[in-house]
Amino acid sequence: MENHEPGTENNTSDENLDHLAKDIESTLKFVKSSKRPAVQHCIIRSVNPLLRRVNEAAYRPLFVIIGPLRCYTSLLEPMELQKRIYLASFLQRPGVGASLNEFCKLITASAPEIRSRYEETYYRRCDFKAHQIQQNIPPSDDNLQWFIEMVLADAAFIIELFLRIYHKEGQPESEIDFVFDSPGKIYDIRRDLFLAHNQLPLFVLKQIYDLAFGNNPDHHPSFIHLSCNFFYQYFNQNISIHDLFQPNQPHVDFIAKLEGAKHFTDLLRTLQLQHSFQNPGSNSKSFSCKPMFKCSSC
C-alpha cells in the first residue's frame, strides 16, 4: 500500500484546477478576439437545415459554386476552369481600365468587409495539375491569397457572363465554353446564381465592375442594368428592362431599390415587387404588375 504525504493529493488537485482555469481563460480570450461577423452585417447565410431537408435538390447548385459560405470537399473542375477562362477574357476586354494586380488589391482591401457578410467562410484551393478542387480551408491571414483568387474568379465569371449575354456575344472559336456546350445549361446556371447561399455581396461585384469600366461609364451599362438583363425572365412588370434603364425615364425610385439589393437573391425579390410605373407617353396614366413568380430559394 502506497503512502502519501499529507496534502499531496490536494496539491495535485489544485494544480490541475489551476491548469484547467488557465485553459478556460485562454479559450475565452480566443473566442472574444475571434473575428466573427456582426449579426447586422451578415447577409448571406446557410439555408435552415429543416427547410433544406424538405427538398435538398432545390438548394443545391447544379454547376457553379459562388462565394465562400459552404464547405465542399470537391468541386466541379470544368466549371472552375471555365471561371479562369472567363477571368482571362474579362481582363483582355477592350475598355477594362485596371490590371490584374489592381483587382487583387481591391479585393484585399475589401476582404474583411466581404467576410463579414457571411455566416461562415471557407477558402477554396484549386490545384488543376492534381485535379483537386476543394473549398474546406478555414480562413486565416496565412492563406488569404486563396480567398482573393476565389472572389476574383467568381466575380469575373459573373461579370464576363453577364457581358456576353448583354452584348449577345457568341462563343469565340478558339474557346471551349463549359457554359454553352449543351442546350439549356445557361438556365441551370442562372438558377444557381440566385440561390440564397450561393452568393457574392453585390457591393464587391459593383466595385470590380466599376474599377474595370468606371472611366468610361457612357459606353457601358451599369452593373445593376447588366444583372437585371441577365435575370430578365423574373422581371414581371409591364415595362422592359431596356426601357427601365433608359436615360431620363421616370423610374428612378424603382432603380434605387434595385441598386440597394444586397445580393442576387435580394435583387430577384426586388424585381418581383409590385410597382406602379408612370407611362412615358402620358402625364397621368400609370401601370403596374403584380409578381407572378416566386423563386424557391427566396
Side-chain angles (χ1 to χ4, degrees), residues 76-100:
L76 197 60
E77 183 176 359
M79 188 70 251
E80 291 302 313
L81 283 169
Q82 191 65 55
K83 288 179 183 178
R84 274 67 184 178
I85 293 172
Y86 272 32
L87 171 58
S89 297
F90 169 68
L91 293 171
Q92 295 168 4
R93 268 191 176 271
V96 170
S99 65
L100 176 59

Side-chain angles (χ1 to χ4, degrees), residues 28-39:
L28 293 176
K29 288 180 180 178
F30 173 79
V31 171
K32 189 175 181 180
S33 63
S34 62
K35 299 177 181 179
R36 296 179 62 83
V39 174

Side-chain angles (χ1 to χ4, degrees), residues 184-226:
K185 186 182 286 186
I186 184 61
Y187 298 103
D188 292 328
I189 290 175
R190 183 180 282 115
R191 172 258 186 199
D192 286 351
L193 291 180
F194 70 62
L195 292 178
H197 57 272
N198 202 41
Q199 298 294 317
L200 282 179
L202 273 183
F203 84 84
V204 71
L205 287 164
K206 291 177 185 176
Q207 284 181 345
I208 292 172
Y209 184 81
D210 289 345
L211 180 60
F213 302 112
N215 292 332
N216 199 2
D218 294 337
H219 290 79
H220 299 281
S222 68
F223 183 72
I224 287 298
H225 187 172
L226 272 186

Side-chain angles (χ1 to χ4, degrees), residues 222-235:
S222 68
F223 183 72
I224 287 298
H225 187 172
L226 272 186
S227 302
C228 291
N229 179 75
F230 182 77
F231 292 112
Y232 77 95
Q233 292 173 310
Y234 310 120
F235 183 61

